[in-house]
Amino acid sequence: STHCGYDNYGNYNTVLDAEEDCASDPNCAAIYDNNCDGNTVYLCSSNYTEQVSGVGSCLFVKPGNLFL
């Protein structure tokens, strides 16, 4: 599992809320779900460095400007 290190911002309670903001934010390149549980979700800035995570975390990368 990976995460976007210290290049995250925002704090969301659901992935859907984060997706909506990320989709309209040109600075957002991915969404980081801390424990893959749909809680504690962050946005990853476009210059983020992907890092290996010790705990189970999920990184959803935004393809282009749309989520599939």
Side-chain angles (χ1 to χ4, degrees), residues 10-52:
N11 192 342
Y12 300 86
N13 293 323
T14 70
V15 172
L16 186 60
D17 286 346
E19 281 184 347
E20 289 177 353
D21 275 8
C22 185
S24 61
D25 182 355
N27 186 51
C28 178
I31 293 171
Y32 163 46
D33 182 352
N34 194 26
N35 295 308
C36 294
D37 58 3
N39 300 316
T40 318
V41 184
Y42 305 97
L43 303 183
C44 298
S45 58
S46 56
N47 61 344
Y48 77 94
T49 302
E50 189 168 321
Q51 298 179 351
V52 175

